[in-house]
Amino acid sequence: MYGETKTLRRRLWTAVLRRRVPQWLAALAPLVIALILLHAARPLVIAAILPWTVWVAADIYRWRWRLKREWTSWLDAAIPALEDSSTLLAADATTPIAKLQQERLRARLASALGDDDYRSIARTRVRVGILPVLLSLAAAGAAWGYHGKQIATVPASDSQTAKAIVDGEIYLSVTPPAYTGVKSFETAARDLQVPQFSEVRWCVRNPSGAQPAVELGDGQTLPVTEACAVKRVEESLFWRARGKNGTRYNIRVTPDQAPQVTIIEPTELIHILSKDAKTVQIAVTARDDYAIVRASLHMTLARGSGENIRFSDREVPLPQSPDPKVRNWKKQWTLTELGMEPGDELYFFVRATDNSPDNPHTTQSPTYTLRLPAPEAESLESTALPSMAKPENLRSQRQIIIDTEQLVADMQAHPNMPAATVRARSEAIASDQAKLRLRYGQFLGEESSLFGDEHDHEGEEHHGASPVFGSEMSVLKEFGHAHDQEDNATIFDPKTKAVLKRALSAMWDAEKSLRAISPKPALPPEYKALDAIKELQAAERIYLHRTAFVPPALKEEKRMSGDIVGVLSYKRAQGAADNTVPAEVRELVQALSQDGALPALWSKAARDTIVARIVDQEQKLSAQRAVQDVQDGCAACRGELRAWLRGTLTDAPVLLQARPSTDTPFRQAWSGKEQQK
């Protein structure tokens, strides 16, 4: 009986699947078509397919669960001959009457249930929804819009559909620079996006009537002759044909971008090799929007310690690839090829240059470090020549900051980093910070304590607040010289001592954070310590300009004559505040707030200010449009132009002026009386 029930449920499930599969495929079809046709929107389409997969899995689970619970009621409702007894088919009969009824149901099922009955049950119970199909079509439409937007931003003639050129109207002929590889094209008047330094020609085919002219956004007017009007476009602008005030066309410029250089391997700025390492892999990539003409790997090998350090440089060109825009290079170097020995450090970076002939762009990657640890030195107890052991080099504060930042970056990039590794690296940096702190502490007479007054406070608590007259401590304090105090142990001036104390205090705070396995809070005090060290180093390199007064040379005929007529005065006149707001711009802003006439040459002053003070290309185009609108007689556009000009103005700096005052005996006496009161 169980086998017959299983066969019955399987046939019902097959009927349900035949009902649901077309709906699943109908919802998937728009996404598949978009995935094949829309190359620029493939990530968006893949992101939309993932919810479809989740929906299909949930739908399968839902219908299997309903079939398991409701299949008997489905049969009773569809086949009246079963007499609402289908539940007997789901379990084994325990009574003679139940067994007799099961035998009757099996006999009826063989003649009552057919393929058409299963399909009828599926049509009745499984309904087709249109909502998933609509959502799929909406996702495909969004992908289509995204694809069109991406294609529209490509500054190539192939991606710009040329409009038909009509006789008697102005058309454009664009010739991009040869190094870009973009083909020249001709098109009717419309918005364009071209590479920087492209040559744009405005021409007329079969002209008729008056000679046409082109008005540019910067105020220039170019007559369109038989040889056309030519301009080398360096920044975005708009233009219009003279007499057609309502039709403006934009020419947006795509600047030549600098190459992008990426170091793929190693992933860390400071990569420490294992002691038994034999090889190291370096992988780099360089990309440019047009082409890369030079790309090289620069390596510097540092060997030695202390003051006996030798450097050797090496440059390796990156090989070219079939695509001139990309250079990928990956190589497994042996340490023998790099010339590295235990204790050496290799610094390398990548430099790439694009193919711009006039202003080539050069990009240099950050400097990466490969460090091969030296073998551990033998202890003093086991070595026979302890005097030959070299002291361990101290790491600088800048190197400690670099190590800490690298640890923080690695912890963020790898949240599952083992706690033991994080602790070991943090404690190693803390140890370097402690050694550097003790090294600078020697200049304040410290041995192991940061604050020199700790021992004194303990002595005061133990011996009392004040020494007894005639005792050893009182005699030493009065006539002796306490060499064990940090304030008396060195010959530094108080200001230098204060800077040293600030540096040591910051180092101590950084060390405490590193000991607590909190490298990120240790960065601010590390930077404070570095600033203090820089201040100490800069104090030795102060250069003072000569400030002595040099009187003007006197004429020889006036020397020793007592005649001071014509002698130049050595008194310096007070400076005047710089006028950062040009007078013509100030007058124009005031005139734009009224309805009267504007000053002469106002358009030139406005355009010069816009070009000099507005950097954003879109804002510059909008401001130049406002100038042209006001020039065309638009009274409502004055407020917009005034707003643009006011946005370019900067506040004049405040210049403090000294007030002259005469100091007389009467004034001195009066001031004294006022102070006595």
Side-chain angles (χ1 to χ4, degrees):
M1 186 63 190
Y2 177 76
E4 295 178 1
T5 302
K6 187 176 180 181
T7 302
L8 182 62
R9 292 175 58 182
R10 185 173 63 251
R11 297 185 67 179
L12 281 174
W13 174 244
T14 303
V16 170
L17 284 180
R18 290 176 179 175
R19 185 71 174 171
R20 296 298 296 175
V21 167
Q23 185 175 1
W24 297 341
L25 296 179
L28 180 63
L31 300 179
V32 173
I33 295 174
L35 185 65
I36 296 175
L37 299 180
L38 308 179
H39 302 282
R42 282 182 176 177
L44 184 63
V45 177
I46 294 175
I49 291 177
L50 293 178
W52 176 88
T53 306
V54 175
W55 170 66
V56 170
D59 202 34
I60 292 174
Y61 176 80
R62 180 169 68 93
W63 284 107
R64 290 188 68 88
W65 181 80
R66 287 192 59 183
L67 181 65
K68 182 178 179 181
R69 293 175 59 91
E70 302 174 7
W71 69 276
T72 56
S73 61
W74 291 2
L75 292 178
D76 291 336
I79 305 175
L82 296 179
E83 300 177 352
D84 295 332
S85 301
S86 299
T87 54
L88 295 175
L89 300 176
D92 294 332
T94 58
T95 63
I97 297 178
K99 292 181 179 179
L100 178 62
Q101 185 66 13
Q102 283 184 351
E103 294 294 333
R104 294 176 60 189
L105 291 176
R106 284 198 296 269
R108 294 177 181 178
L109 284 175
S111 59
L113 276 179
D115 295 336
D116 295 338
D117 296 320
Y118 287 110
R119 287 193 292 269
S120 177
I121 293 174
R123 283 194 303 269
T124 304
R125 297 294 175 177
V126 183
R127 297 181 179 179
V128 177
I130 197 173
L131 181 60
V133 180
L134 294 179
L135 294 177
S136 178
L137 291 174
W144 180 273
Y146 179 81
H147 176 78
K149 184 178 180 180
Q150 294 296 318
I151 294 299
T153 58
V154 178
S157 59
D158 297 339
S159 64
Q160 299 175 346
T161 304
K163 296 174 62 177
I165 300 175
V166 181
D167 291 346
E169 294 186 359
I170 296 178
Y171 70 93
L172 289 84
S173 176
V174 181
T175 305
Y179 75 92
T180 62
V182 181
K183 298 180 180 179
S184 303
F185 63 95
E186 293 182 353
T187 180
R190 63 185 180 89
D191 292 343
L192 296 177
Q193 188 164 2
V194 299
Q196 193 176 22
F197 305 115
S198 297
E199 184 181 81
V200 180
R201 292 176 175 269
W202 289 268
C203 305
V204 177
R205 182 173 297 173
N206 300 326
S208 60
Q211 183 184 20
V214 173
E215 296 180 356
L216 303 180
D218 56 1
Q220 290 183 338
T221 300
L222 304 178
V224 181
T225 60
E226 295 180 357
C228 302
V230 184
K231 183 175 179 60
R232 189 168 181 259
V233 179
E234 298 183 5
E235 58 182 10
S236 299
L237 54 86
F238 66 88
W239 66 275
R240 69 178 181 182
R242 178 184 293 173
K244 297 182 180 180
N245 299 333
T247 306
R248 293 195 185 99
Y249 302 100
N250 296 321
I251 300 179
R252 290 182 171 86
V253 170
T254 303
D256 186 2
Q257 303 295 328
Q260 297 180 357
V261 180
T262 305
I263 305 294
I264 302 177
E265 293 184 22
T267 58
E268 302 174 346
L269 285 174
I270 301 178
H271 183 67
I272 302 178
L273 303 174
S274 59
K275 295 182 180 180
D276 56 349
K278 302 297 182 182
T279 61
V280 62
Q281 184 166 278
I282 299 178
V284 301
T285 180
R287 297 179 179 274
D288 188 64
D289 46 0
Y290 297 124
I292 296 177
V293 293
R294 289 188 303 275
S296 57
L297 175 66
H298 297 258
M299 297 182 290
T300 301
L301 181 64
R303 176 172 298 168
S305 60
E307 298 181 356
N308 187 21
I309 299 180
R310 300 185 303 275
F311 297 94
S312 57
D313 297 331
R314 182 180 178 185
E315 181 177 356
V316 179
L318 301 186
Q320 297 182 358
S321 61
D323 187 1
K325 300 180 180 181
V326 182
R327 288 200 184 186
N328 295 323
W329 188 68
K330 182 178 181 181
K331 182 178 180 180
Q332 189 80 16
W333 294 82
T334 63
L335 298 186
T336 304
E337 291 177 333
L338 297 176
M340 295 187 66
E341 298 178 357
D344 293 350
E345 288 187 350
L346 180 69
Y347 314 101
F348 69 91
F349 62 88
V350 176
R351 182 180 295 159
T353 305
D354 62 6
N355 63 337
S356 178
D358 299 329
N359 300 307
H361 300 90
T362 301
T363 302
Q364 181 173 314
S365 69
T367 301
Y368 282 67
T369 302
L370 296 178
R371 184 178 299 163
L372 184 61
E376 297 181 358
E378 297 182 355
S379 61
L380 296 177
E381 292 79 10
S382 60
T383 180
L385 299 173
S387 60
M388 298 297 294
K390 295 182 179 180
E392 184 180 2
N393 293 329
L394 291 174
R395 297 186 64 78
S396 65
Q397 186 66 28
R398 191 181 300 276
Q399 292 173 324
I400 292 174
I401 292 175
I402 293 175
D403 293 344
T404 307
E405 290 178 343
Q406 185 63 43
L407 177 57
V408 172
D410 293 344
M411 292 174 63
Q412 294 177 353
H414 306 286
N416 299 327
M417 183 181 295
T421 303
V422 176
R423 177 179 295 274
R425 293 179 60 179
S426 183
E427 290 182 349
I429 301 173
S431 178
D432 294 336
Q433 184 69 84
K435 294 176 183 178
L436 188 62
R437 175 176 59 83
L438 294 176
R439 177 69 180 89
Y440 278 96
Q442 295 178 1
F443 296 105
L444 287 179
E446 296 182 2
E447 294 182 359
S448 60
S449 176
L450 176 62
F451 303 101
D453 55 350
E454 294 177 356
H455 178 74
D456 297 340
H457 293 321
E458 294 178 359
E460 291 179 1
E461 294 176 359
H462 181 73
H463 296 290
S466 61
V468 181
F469 177 77
S471 63
E472 179 180 358
M473 291 298 297
S474 63
V475 173
L476 179 60
K477 189 171 183 180
E478 182 176 0
F479 302 103
H481 184 68
H483 289 276
D484 56 347
Q485 297 181 4
E486 60 169 346
D487 290 337
N488 299 322
T490 63
I491 60 174
F492 293 122
D493 59 281
K495 293 183 179 181
T496 304
K497 291 180 181 179
V499 177
L500 275 172
K501 289 181 180 179
R502 188 168 73 247
L504 294 178
S505 178
M507 291 180 184
W508 179 253
D509 293 339
E511 182 183 349
K512 287 190 296 184
S513 299
L514 292 170
R515 296 290 185 189
I517 321 301
S518 300
K520 191 172 183 179
L523 286 174
E526 287 179 359
Y527 276 107
K528 290 182 181 179
L530 180 61
D531 293 339
I533 294 173
K534 288 183 177 179
E535 185 176 349
L536 290 173
Q537 295 173 348
E540 300 177 356
R541 300 191 298 271
I542 296 177
Y543 175 75
L544 297 178
H545 292 279
R546 183 179 180 182
T547 58
F549 169 68
V550 180
L554 296 177
K555 297 180 180 179
E556 291 296 332
E557 59 270 14
K558 289 186 176 292
R559 291 180 59 86
M560 307 299 291
S561 63
D563 185 8
I564 62 173
V565 178
V567 178
L568 297 176
S569 175
Y570 60 87
K571 294 182 180 179
R572 294 173 293 178
Q574 293 185 359
D578 294 334
N579 188 5
T580 58
V581 181
E584 58 271 13
V585 178
R586 187 188 302 109
E587 295 176 0
L588 177 58
V589 171
Q590 295 175 357
L592 288 172
S593 61
Q594 303 173 2
D595 296 335
L598 298 179
L601 301 178
W602 67 269
S603 59
K604 182 179 183 302
R607 288 193 175 97
D608 292 344
T609 303
I610 291 170
V611 171
R613 303 199 178 205
I614 297 181
V615 180
D616 186 79
Q617 295 296 322
E618 292 298 328
Q619 294 182 0
K620 186 179 296 185
L621 289 178
S622 300
Q624 290 177 347
R625 291 191 193 98
V627 174
Q628 197 174 72
D629 290 337
V630 174
Q631 198 171 11
D632 291 340
C634 178
C637 302
R638 289 192 172 195
E640 181 181 358
L641 178 57
R642 184 170 181 266
W644 281 114
L645 294 178
R646 285 180 60 87
T648 62
L649 303 182
T650 56
D651 295 333
V654 178
L655 183 63
L656 299 179
Q657 296 284 353
R659 294 183 178 180
S661 61
T662 304
D663 193 8
T664 62
F666 175 78
R667 187 178 183 86
Q668 295 176 0
W670 181 265
S671 300
K673 291 180 180 181
E674 291 293 331
Q675 293 178 359
Q676 290 177 2
K677 293 179 180 181

